[in-house]
Amino acid sequence: MMSIAAARALDGGQKCFVGIGLPSTAANLARRTHAPDLVLIYESGTLGSKPGRLPASIGDGILAETADAVISVPEVFNYWLQPGRIDVGFLGAAQLDKFGNINTTVIGDDYANPKVRLPGAGGAPEIAASCHEVYVVVRQSKRSFVDKVDFITSFGHGTGNGEREKLGLRGAGPTLVITDLGVFRPDETGELELTEVHEGITVEQVREATGWDLKVSPELGTTPAPTEAELQTLRELKAAK
């Protein structure tokens, strides 16, 4: 459901900065269904990749073999990402707060001696700062949906109220958060608001998995169930070797 909901959010012709895992699944699903002109850009420097199967990593040879062009990693960041040439960037999160700030660095208040040291930033801060929009895909629980992140790895909407604009950040930040329970979008203040629940999920279940007083859209909807075509394409992607 997470992969399909993320795929549906992508449009043909967009330039999408893709990560491995659910973002790659979603982007390749979109390209095989309703968005054949979607341009997939991977951090390893492959532009316009069209893999026939899901890549195992950003270094998977199939990405270079099927790409329109292969450039260096510094060029991906300096020429494509930082100048704002990427429409959509996908990010995951260990912690996400109500303003879409992301932590993938440490769990705990003491940076030098954290409870858990996470993988870190990679290119995520630049994706969060410079892509036109950021989509976050994360499994939801009170451990991941927290009132305040322990460390801001990737800036979302700060504390809201136009803080991105005050800092001169080019991109709109997180405009969509997709979890295994529902779909969230920022309201006019930048705070995440529940706009859809997945089929069979209740608002109460979402509240129980959220570490803050959750806002719920007055026009709350239900995510349409996967179509047979979407499921079949997804299965084919996952089965391909």
Side-chain angles (χ1 to χ4, degrees):
M1 192 66 249
M2 293 168 72
S3 297
I4 289 171
R8 289 171 177 168
L10 295 168
D11 294 326
Q14 284 181 317
K15 295 177 286 294
C16 181
F17 200 94
V18 188
I20 294 301
L22 283 177
S24 184
T25 303
N28 280 284
L29 176 61
R31 196 181 63 78
R32 285 189 170 212
T33 51
H34 64 279
D37 296 329
L38 186 67
V39 180
L40 307 188
I41 299 174
Y42 286 81
E43 188 176 341
S44 51
T46 56
L47 309 180
S49 290
K50 306 168 189 66
R53 57 169 171 78
L54 294 179
S57 71
I58 61 170
D60 194 319
I62 197 171
L63 295 177
E65 292 163 5
T66 60
D68 294 330
V70 180
I71 61 176
S72 69
V73 172
E75 285 179 289
V76 171
F77 283 89
N78 295 338
Y79 185 76
W80 285 92
L81 188 56
Q82 291 167 347
R85 291 188 169 97
I86 305 294
D87 297 309
V88 176
F90 274 103
L91 290 176
Q95 287 183 331
L96 180 82
D97 70 20
K98 62 183 176 182
F99 289 110
N101 301 301
I102 292 172
N103 175 22
T104 55
T105 303
V106 293
I107 301 296
D109 296 331
D110 187 348
Y111 177 84
N113 296 286
K115 294 178 182 177
V116 179
R117 188 167 295 282
L118 301 168
E126 290 172 276
I127 294 169
S130 300
C131 288
H132 294 184
E133 297 182 78
V134 172
Y135 296 167
V136 183
V137 183
V138 59
R139 293 191 180 278
Q140 186 174 347
S141 70
K142 283 191 174 178
R143 292 179 64 186
S144 59
F145 263 47
V146 296
D147 185 54
K148 183 179 180 181
V149 293
D150 293 341
F151 185 96
I152 297 179
T153 308
S154 303
F155 195 83
H157 297 284
T159 56
N161 299 314
E163 195 166 332
R164 289 185 65 87
E165 291 78 6
K166 294 174 186 176
L167 293 173
L169 297 179
R170 178 183 286 107
T175 58
L176 184 70
V177 175
I178 297 170
T179 78
D180 50 336
L181 301 179
V183 176
F184 304 77
R185 293 179 175 84
D187 65 10
E188 65 279 359
T189 71
E191 183 174 340
L192 293 176
E193 180 179 68
L194 180 66
T195 58
E196 292 179 21
V197 289
H198 297 326
E199 195 171 24
I201 300 297
T202 66
V203 172
E204 187 55 38
Q205 284 177 286
V206 183
R207 289 191 188 280
E208 289 175 357
T210 304
W212 66 84
D213 187 10
L214 179 66
K215 288 185 177 181
V216 178
S217 170
E219 299 176 356
L220 180 69
T222 300
T223 310
T227 66
E228 187 55 42
E230 288 171 328
L231 289 173
Q232 181 62 31
T233 304
L234 188 59
R235 291 179 186 128
E236 289 171 357
L237 271 173
K238 289 181 174 292
K241 302 295 183 182

